Amino acid sequence: MHPALADAARAASAAYGRARSQFTRTELRDEIADGADGTPTMRVDRIVEDAILESIHRNKVNLLSEEAGFVDNGSAITLVIDPVDGSANAAFGVPLSCFAGTVVEDSSPKEALTTWFDTGRAWWARTGEPTPFRTTGRTSLDGAAVCLMRPKKGTEDAWQRVANRADRIRVLCTTCLETMLVAEGTVDAFADVGSDTHRIMDLATALVTVPAAGGVLVDLRGRPFTFEPDLTHRWSGVAAATPQLAEELIATVLES
């Protein structure tokens, strides 16, 4: 594993542990600033990202993160990181949150690591290399187990159409973990059914890990994923066990 990625993951996990022991749930969910992506920064986000920033400077690589934005250390390597994916879960004590980091070189993702804070489970993959993870191989939405983002205004009908065809629907509120469950074959698919909530750090690890496991990660509307420092870019990510399942899921969401 790239040493900068490993160091960032260790720093994040240690900081998360300290945060949970030193602050109450109310204090952890306090919104103490606005992040570079324009969304509020909870105290738990700030604590973990500050530890990652120290790691980034130690390893002299760049950083692209939802809170700090782009930090330029003059390196050819950029770590695209979600310090705490599932921040609300983490703050409230729900054990579904993680660190997600991707090594990007010249706008190309090279390797990715997702670490589940509360269990220590981790998923690592490198582009172009085999991985022990395998998707379920499911090709049909009917009877599938699907993770979805919670229905947001304007997406309720599409959400219900998917729910009506799937066998199981789960809403875990942590995209990075949910896409890893697709990669390892625990669920068949994950989708944002059109709210355009995802930033690149929400999807970067899945861009490496899901294809390495035999699945696909695409945008609902076919938009290409980019690693630009501009965090106003948004996507509706769809991770699926197979291209056929992704196509059927997207067709169901976009059905008029």
Side-chain angles (χ1 to χ4, degrees):
M1 187 184 301
H2 194 288
L5 180 59
D7 192 36
R10 286 192 294 265
S13 293
Y16 172 78
R18 290 194 300 271
R20 290 289 303 273
S21 66
Q22 294 174 6
F23 295 92
T24 66
R25 293 174 181 175
T26 299
E27 291 169 334
L28 287 175
R29 66 178 180 260
D30 281 345
E31 296 176 354
I32 60 175
D34 287 327
D37 65 348
T39 61
T41 299
M42 293 184 184
R43 178 172 277 109
V44 66
D45 295 314
R46 173 61 60 82
I47 291 170
V48 175
E49 187 174 69
D50 282 350
I52 291 171
L53 280 167
E54 293 180 10
S55 167
I56 292 298
H57 294 312
R58 279 197 302 271
N59 289 279
K60 297 180 172 58
V61 295
N62 307 329
L63 174 71
L64 182 61
S65 173
E66 62 184 82
E67 313 301 340
F70 183 64
V71 178
D72 188 356
N73 277 327
S75 174
I77 299 294
T78 297
L79 295 192
V80 178
I81 285 178
D82 194 336
V84 183
D85 184 62
S87 298
N89 286 344
F92 280 88
V94 177
L96 291 167
S97 62
C98 66
F99 162 89
T102 305
V103 176
V104 176
E105 185 174 3
D106 298 327
S107 299
S108 178
K110 299 299 184 181
E111 65 178 282
L113 173 66
T114 304
T115 303
W116 189 344
F117 284 133
D118 285 275
T119 69
R121 288 179 62 185
W123 297 261
W124 175 84
R126 181 177 284 135
T127 302
E129 295 186 8
T131 174
F133 311 122
R134 284 293 175 268
T135 71
T136 62
R138 174 175 282 276
T139 58
S140 174
L141 178 57
D142 295 321
V146 181
C147 286
L148 295 176
M149 295 189 67
R150 65 179 176 83
K152 298 185 179 181
K153 186 175 182 180
T155 69
E156 296 92 341
D157 290 344
W159 201 98
Q160 192 61 55
R161 284 195 297 272
V162 174
N164 287 344
R165 294 188 58 184
D167 180 56
R168 292 281 189 274
I169 295 293
R170 294 179 175 85
V171 181
L172 306 182
C173 300
T174 169
T175 292
C176 296
L177 270 185
E178 289 168 289
T179 54
M180 293 306 102
L181 297 181
V182 175
E184 72 169 25
T186 303
V187 299
D188 299 304
F190 163 82
D192 171 1
V193 296
S195 68
D196 285 354
T197 294
H198 291 134
R199 299 143 301 192
I200 192 58
M201 55 280 304
D202 296 310
L203 302 170
T205 53
L207 272 171
V208 176
T209 310
V210 174
V216 294
L217 179 77
V218 293
D219 173 66
L220 180 72
R221 298 179 178 85
R223 295 164 294 194
F225 299 114
T226 63
F227 290 92
E228 299 173 17
D230 183 356
L231 295 182
T232 63
H233 293 304
R234 292 288 192 275
W235 293 270
S236 291
V238 176
T242 61
Q244 298 95 322
L245 178 55
E247 291 171 7
E248 193 169 327
L249 182 50
I250 291 169
T252 301
V253 171
L254 298 180
E255 179 184 316
S256 58

